Amino acid sequence: MDELDSYSRTVVTVAETLGPAVAALAVGDPERPRGAGSAVVIEDPDGDGTVLVTNAHVVDRARGGRATFADGSHADVRVLGADPLADLAVLAVHPDAATPAPVTLGDASGLRVGQLVVAVGNPFGLAGSVTAGVVSGLGRSLPTKDGRVVEDVIQTDAALNPGNSGGALADARGHVVGINTAVAGVGLGLAVPWNDTTRAIVASLRRDGRVRRGYLGVVGAPTPLPVDVALRLGRRQGLRVAEVVRESPAARAGLKPGDIVVDADHEPVTQARDLQRRLFADAIGRTLPVTVLRGDAMVDVLAVPAELTGS
């Protein structure tokens, strides 16, 4: 690859590293699939071989399907569990089938806007397709068609198309930092970040087939705090509420678009994942104190997260 420039060498190396472990996924009857996307081979969280990770919206209500790998081999898979709030699903491979070596998982919490990322997937059924771009935004929220919100997603200008969903988003080292989830517009793709929260979600799906999640119903993004508030709180940003889902726990608690969440359960909130960490099983039905900056005033509200039910 001596004739390639540094950028090209990086993208080629990432593509060659990840390509074998990103499968084309057909869900439902393999002969007459009702949905398609991509899936990524990762180490089993319980240390027992490998599993596949994809998007919850890719598997939808299917119980299984077929994964086809870059070398032409394929394996029947079954859905172990799916979590619509994180848009993640975990698949088990048939015991008699072999899978490629798993990817190396990174940590999206260290990503910076402008950083190089590479997307690998199977758009329009074109196996092993690779696109590259940069992280163009962090901490985005993705409303879903059923009124829920996937929080803390990565925004990238690496081209994503139908069929990329469930594929890998990797950094320049070839470490997977996200699972591609949506095409938000021309030059605007979104990916679920790989971090401590998603690790816990995948482990729960692997073991229990589900994740008990609290649900508030807010769409938000990080925003700078006014200087005086930042000095008083000792941090620079909070989570601005862009939308409150109708009849959600957040709406009943009185949260409003434009509020800036600064604390939840007496802990700082600077981005969506700070709120997500407080919305697992033990938060369901429990009063969750939330402090917001509304105009020039600090306002305390009491929200009671509901349990997120299946779609």
Side-chain angles (χ1 to χ4, degrees):
M1 294 193 296
D2 291 343
E3 72 280 7
L4 300 178
D5 59 29
S6 176
Y7 175 87
S8 298
R9 283 197 296 271
T10 298
V11 175
V12 168
T13 299
V14 173
E16 291 177 345
T17 300
L18 292 184
V22 179
L25 180 65
V27 298
D29 184 343
E31 303 304 320
R32 299 177 62 184
R34 71 174 191 231
S38 304
V40 182
V41 181
I42 69 167
E43 289 186 1
D44 188 324
D46 289 338
D48 185 18
T50 60
V51 293
L52 300 183
V53 172
T54 186
N55 292 140
H57 81 261
V58 170
V59 300
D60 195 15
R61 293 175 176 80
R63 296 183 178 180
R66 176 169 291 176
T68 302
F69 300 100
D71 63 2
S73 64
H74 57 79
D76 290 335
V77 298
R78 63 185 176 90
V79 178
L80 295 175
D83 180 34
L85 186 59
D87 199 17
L88 291 172
V90 178
L91 314 173
V93 179
H94 191 281
D96 295 335
T99 60
V103 300
T104 299
L105 295 169
D107 189 347
S109 61
L111 288 178
R112 298 173 64 184
V113 173
Q115 183 173 339
L116 170 67
V117 284
V118 179
V120 182
N122 302 278
F124 302 113
L126 301 173
S129 293
V130 177
T131 57
V134 298
V135 175
S136 53
L138 293 167
R140 304 305 195 208
S141 296
L142 174 64
T144 65
K145 63 182 180 181
D146 61 1
R148 293 171 180 161
V149 179
V150 180
E151 295 281 11
D152 201 29
V153 298
I154 302 164
Q155 176 185 314
T156 177
D157 67 354
L160 300 179
N161 291 289
N164 268 118
S165 292
L169 187 73
D171 63 18
R173 299 176 298 167
H175 295 179
V176 172
V177 292
I179 302 298
N180 299 319
T181 185
V183 182
V186 177
L188 183 60
L190 301 172
V192 178
W194 191 265
N195 53 31
D196 289 344
T197 300
T198 46
R199 284 187 181 90
I201 290 167
V202 167
S204 182
L205 292 173
R206 168 66 181 88
R207 288 192 298 268
D208 305 322
R210 63 193 282 252
V211 179
R212 292 194 69 213
R213 299 289 300 265
Y215 167 66
L216 279 181
V218 295
V219 180
T223 190
L225 293 171
V227 174
D228 60 328
V229 176
L231 289 173
R232 188 163 77 247
L233 295 179
R235 52 186 184 273
R236 296 180 179 179
Q237 67 180 28
L239 184 71
R240 181 180 292 279
V241 176
E243 180 183 345
V244 178
V245 177
R246 286 183 58 191
E247 300 182 358
S248 66
R252 289 192 289 272
L255 285 167
K256 303 177 183 299
D259 286 347
I260 300 176
V261 180
V262 295
D263 286 280
D265 209 16
H266 309 295
E267 295 292 338
V269 172
T270 61
Q271 50 198 323
R273 66 172 169 264
D274 295 330
L275 198 55
Q276 284 182 320
R277 292 191 191 107
R278 289 159 183 85
L279 291 174
F280 284 97
D282 61 352
I284 298 168
R286 177 173 67 87
T287 299
L288 183 78
V290 179
T291 301
V292 303
L293 178 64
R294 182 176 294 165
D296 296 326
M298 287 290 185
V299 177
D300 294 320
V301 300
L302 299 177
V304 180
E307 182 168 4
L308 179 70
T309 55
S311 59

